[in-house]
Amino acid sequence: MLSVLDVRGVALRDLFLIGFNRNCGSIIVPSKERAGEIKAALEPAYKVTVSCMHRDACWQAEFDRRELDGAVPSWLVRDVTLADGSTAMRDGRWIR
C-alpha cells in the first residue's frame, strides 16, 4: 500500500496504516487535505471513504480493493457476530 502511495506522489509522512492485507484497511492522517490526497491516489483501484475520527481531529481514509468491474469483492469477511450475539465487525470494520 505504501509503495502505491509513494509512486502516486503522496508524501509518506504523518500517516498511520491499519490493515491486515493489501485488500482493505485504513490510513490515519492529521488533516482532511491529506486524506483527500490519499483518496485521489488510490481511486479507482480502491473504494476510499474519508471521515473524521473526532479524536484529536484525525482523519481516516478507509480503503477496499475493487474488482476490475468496480465492485468491492464479496468474499471479504464483512460481518462478525460473537457467540453472545454482539456484533464485533460490520461492513468490514471493527466496531469500537
Side-chain angles (χ1 to χ4, degrees):
M1 180 55 53
L2 294 178
S3 55
V4 170
L5 293 174
D6 189 35
V7 167
R8 298 279 179 124
V10 175
L12 300 181
R13 60 172 170 70
D14 300 331
L15 61 83
F16 183 71
L17 173 65
I18 302 170
F20 296 112
N21 56 44
R22 61 191 172 120
N23 294 318
C24 64
S26 296
I27 299 173
I28 312 300
V29 291
S31 69
K32 184 177 183 179
E33 292 77 24
R34 292 271 293 145
E37 289 176 22
I38 291 169
K39 179 176 180 161
L42 295 180
E43 288 187 335
Y46 291 85
K47 175 186 169 215
V48 181
T49 306
V50 172
S51 61
C52 183
M53 295 182 64
H54 300 291
R55 286 190 210 141
D56 302 322
C58 289
W59 288 80
Q60 67 180 344
E62 297 178 329
F63 60 90
D64 291 293
R65 181 184 291 273
R66 293 182 195 241
E67 296 288 349
L68 291 176
D69 65 357
V72 176
S74 61
W75 54 267
L76 295 172
V77 175
R78 306 304 293 179
D79 299 306
V80 174
T81 304
L82 303 177
D84 66 359
S86 61
T87 303
M89 179 186 281
R90 182 176 301 123
D91 296 325
R93 305 282 174 226
W94 294 106
I95 296 175
R96 300 174 198 124

